[in-house]
């Protein structure tokens, strides 16, 4: 009888051990999933912040260079709509070079402003939450850029506007446009104009910055070779599978 009982007990013991090991394994897997989920969320947030920072370091910084806006067809600031008649009249009067100088001065003012305001964008990126990041990752190709634009434009405008005004003085845009407006207003049979160029250039400069950040985001989302770090590769691989 003992010979029979011992093997049975052994089988029961081994079976219990197997069940215990299985239960332990499942518990560890559950804990691992929770831990990995938390780590994953943090990685997602960090990767999106990194993508936006790359947009600033690789794309926006180029706007701060000489003629950064002026030579970039994506963001070049044109004459505002209400001044298109001014530009047309000047060119018709043989003053095309003055109009060109005015356009270049606006764009150079934007370049100076972006250089001084870039840290503002960096600080804004740091405020992105994990919840924001989860939604953004599975969003459209420029979801992170849209988030940044929506959450910062108002405050950025308030800080950007005086910088634009100051940069107008630095590059001489204020003098050029004063001459342009004065010249135009002396032409016969024209309606005098007095536009707020600071406001216009501020909005155009902000749009240009977000355009270039968005360009880099789209590149990272759609071009695997543009994911320059392991973090970007691993996190955006999740987006590839959606």
């Amino acid at each position: 009888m003992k010979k029979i009982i011992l093997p049975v007990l052994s089988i029961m013991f081994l079976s219990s051990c197997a069940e215990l090991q299985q239960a332990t394994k499942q518990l560890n897997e559950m804990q691992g999933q929770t831990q990995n989920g938390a780590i994953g969320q943090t990685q997602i947030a960090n990767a999106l912040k990194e993508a936006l920072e790359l947009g600033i370091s690789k794309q926006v910084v180029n706007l701060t260079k000489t003629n950064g806006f002026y030579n970039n067809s994506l963001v070049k600031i044109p004459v505002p709509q209400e001044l298109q008649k001014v530009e047309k009249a000047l060119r018709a009067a043989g003053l095309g070079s003055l109009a060109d100088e005015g356009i270049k001065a606006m764009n150079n003012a934007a370049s100076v402003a972006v250089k001084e305001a870039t840290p503002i964008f960096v600080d804004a990126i740091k405020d992105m939450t994990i919840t924001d990041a989860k939604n953004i990752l599975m969003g459209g190709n420029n979801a992170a850029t849209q988030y940044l634009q929506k959450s910062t434009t108002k405050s950025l405008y308030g800080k950007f506007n005086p910088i634009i005004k100051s940069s107008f003085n630095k590059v001489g845009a204020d003098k050029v446009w004063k001459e342009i407006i004065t010249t135009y207003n002396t032409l016969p049979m024209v309606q005098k104009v007095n536009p707020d160029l600071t406001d216009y250039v501020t909005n155009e400069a902000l749009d240009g910055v977000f355009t270039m950040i968005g360009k880099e985001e789209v590149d990272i989302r759609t071009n695997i070779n543009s994911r320059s770090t392991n973090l970007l590769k691993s996190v955006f691989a999740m987006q590839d599978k959606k």
Side-chain angles (χ1 to χ4, degrees), residues 9-23:
L9 289 174
S10 297
I11 292 170
M12 291 175 65
F13 176 74
L14 291 172
S15 176
S16 297
C17 287
E19 290 176 359
L20 180 60
Q21 289 175 344
Q22 181 64 25

Side-chain angles (χ1 to χ4, degrees), residues 113-134:
V114 170
K115 184 176 183 178
E116 295 187 24
T118 296
I120 298 172
F121 292 95
V122 176
D123 289 340
I125 291 171
K126 293 177 182 177
D127 292 334
M128 183 187 294
T129 67
I130 288 176
T131 301
D132 293 327
K134 286 164 57 181

Side-chain angles (χ1 to χ4, degrees), residues 18-28:
E19 290 176 359
L20 180 60
Q21 289 175 344
Q22 181 64 25
T24 302
K25 182 180 178 181
Q26 289 176 349
L27 179 60
N28 289 336

Side-chain angles (χ1 to χ4, degrees), residues 102-208:
I103 295 170
K104 195 168 187 177
M106 282 194 306
N107 282 270
N108 287 341
S111 291
V112 171
V114 170
K115 184 176 183 178
E116 295 187 24
T118 296
I120 298 172
F121 292 95
V122 176
D123 289 340
I125 291 171
K126 293 177 182 177
D127 292 334
M128 183 187 294
T129 67
I130 288 176
T131 301
D132 293 327
K134 286 164 57 181
N135 295 329
I136 291 168
L137 179 65
M138 297 303 175
N141 280 345
N142 64 343
T145 305
Q146 287 181 341
Y147 160 82
L148 186 63
Q149 187 170 10
K150 182 178 179 180
S151 61
T152 63
T153 294
K154 186 175 180 180
S155 59
L156 284 172
Y157 180 93
K159 295 178 181 179
F160 222 67
N161 192 260
I163 298 174
I164 290 287
K165 187 173 183 179
S166 174
S167 64
F168 255 64
N169 297 329
K170 286 183 180 179
V171 302
D174 53 342
K175 294 180 180 178
V176 173
W177 276 97
K178 183 178 180 180
E179 181 182 356
I180 288 175
I181 299 303
T182 300
T183 301
Y184 175 78
N185 287 340
T186 59
L187 294 176
M189 300 181 68
V190 298
Q191 185 176 357
K192 294 186 178 182
V193 294
N194 186 28
D196 184 351
L197 284 176
T198 300
D199 174 74
Y200 172 72
V201 174
T202 298
N203 285 313
E204 289 292 307
L206 286 171
D207 285 346

